[in-house]
Amino acid sequence: MKIQIISLFPEMISPVLETSMLWKAQEKGIVEYRYINLRDFGIGPRKTVDDTPYGGGDGMLLKPEPLFAAVEYAKSQDPDALVYLMTPRGERFIQRRAVDIAGEAKGMIFVCGRYEGYDERIISLVDRQISIGDFVLTGGELAAMTVVDAVVRLLPGVLGGAQSAEIESFSHGDNLEFPQYTRPETFRDMAVPEVLLSGNHAEIERWRQAQSRAQHNKYKS
Ligand code: SAM
């Protein structure tokens, strides 16, 4: 699956995608990352990509010509790919969306805005607008990396244990994972809950479910 990211700052993105599980996913041939520098599609000798907004206002907007050319180039590399525009006004990105996108098993093209945003006409080429939360970032790169990370780890063959993605937080609605412990049994006077050492799988399961509910009540309600 090709994952193409259109950005003015692709050097921000590659160190993240070329690390750990995301890198391994590419090594295994499950995904292929491509970084498309919007500047390469800039206009004139200065490779201009931005301009002032019609109607006045602060800041600059990404111009339509470079944006269209970059998205059309990405589409030519993977015609069936879906185009995702990173924007604070988009559909809120939650685990369910990550599962949907992973399930679509189609290539992805991410468009990262910058400055005050982009010329609105770009949405004629966009399949989905995505927000990673109700706050404003300086650019779409962190948002795109967040979505790529959450989606790629769900693709078959990426996570080690098949169970890993099934029992974790948000895998079933808004459940949260129960607390987990590893060796040593006691650390700085804090002991691992006894039930986890009991070997009684039914009891452990009951404890974990109760803890999941408690986490939810404590942090999400
Ligand atoms: N003027 C825009 C507004 O008020 O909505 C904000 C522009 S922001 C400074 C620049 C770019 O960062 C946006 O075009 C978008 O691509 C990206 N961005 C910022 N916050 C985001 C968020 N919460 N989710 C996804 N992308 C975001």
Side-chain angles (χ1 to χ4, degrees):
M1 178 188 294
K2 271 198 184 62
I3 299 181
Q4 304 183 79
I5 305 182
I6 299 170
S7 159
L8 267 182
F9 300 101
E11 67 278 10
M12 266 181 78
I13 303 167
S14 48
V16 173
L17 301 192
E18 315 274 334
T19 303
S20 186
M21 299 296 269
L22 299 182
W23 168 76
K24 275 195 193 146
Q26 178 158 254
E27 283 294 297
K28 288 180 184 170
I30 299 168
V31 292
E32 181 189 341
Y33 307 120
R34 295 271 182 89
Y35 312 104
I36 298 176
N37 194 332
L38 187 64
R39 184 72 60 192
D40 292 342
F41 299 87
I43 300 168
R46 297 174 66 104
K47 298 276 177 198
T48 303
V49 294
D50 59 336
D51 207 338
T52 52
Y54 279 119
D58 287 338
M60 304 293 273
L61 298 176
L62 294 175
K63 289 173 70 58
E65 304 92 321
L67 278 174
F68 271 70
V71 172
E72 282 162 2
Y73 167 76
K75 274 285 207 182
S76 75
Q77 303 300 299
D78 190 1
D80 292 334
L82 296 176
V83 180
Y84 299 95
L85 175 65
M86 301 294 109
T87 167
R89 72 155 177 235
E91 174 191 9
R92 178 84 68 85
F93 188 66
I94 55 172
Q95 186 67 12
R96 184 71 245 158
R97 293 291 155 272
V99 172
D100 290 346
I101 295 172
E104 273 162 358
K106 284 194 168 173
M108 301 171 230
I109 299 168
F110 291 92
V111 182
C112 303
R114 271 277 154 183
Y115 313 128
E116 277 315 308
Y118 39 78
D119 184 287
E120 187 69 18
R121 288 167 284 195
I122 191 59
I123 66 169
S124 62
L125 298 184
V126 166
D127 293 292
R128 282 192 193 172
Q129 301 183 46
I130 298 184
S131 163
I132 62 162
D134 290 348
F135 45 81
V136 178
L137 301 163
T138 52
E141 289 77 8
L142 288 170
M145 286 188 269
T146 301
V147 174
V148 171
D149 187 309
V151 170
V152 168
R153 65 193 295 284
L154 295 176
L155 295 174
V158 175
L159 289 185
Q163 249 202 323
S164 315
E166 264 168 41
I167 57 163
E168 64 190 2
S169 301
F170 309 118
S171 50
H172 305 287
D174 55 6
N175 71 297
L176 295 178
E177 194 181 60
F178 42 81
Q180 301 256 48
Y181 299 84
T182 183
R183 274 179 278 271
E185 231 175 272
T186 301
F187 178 71
R188 298 196 178 179
D189 291 337
M190 292 177 281
V192 172
E194 247 169 56
V195 62
L196 297 178
L197 311 173
S198 68
N200 182 332
H201 295 296
E203 271 300 307
I204 291 172
E205 190 48 36
R206 263 195 295 279
W207 181 86
R208 286 180 163 170
Q209 284 179 12
Q211 288 294 318
S212 280
R213 284 193 296 276
Q215 300 297 308
H216 191 269
N217 294 340
K218 189 167 172 190
Y219 296 110
K220 295 286 178 190
S221 48

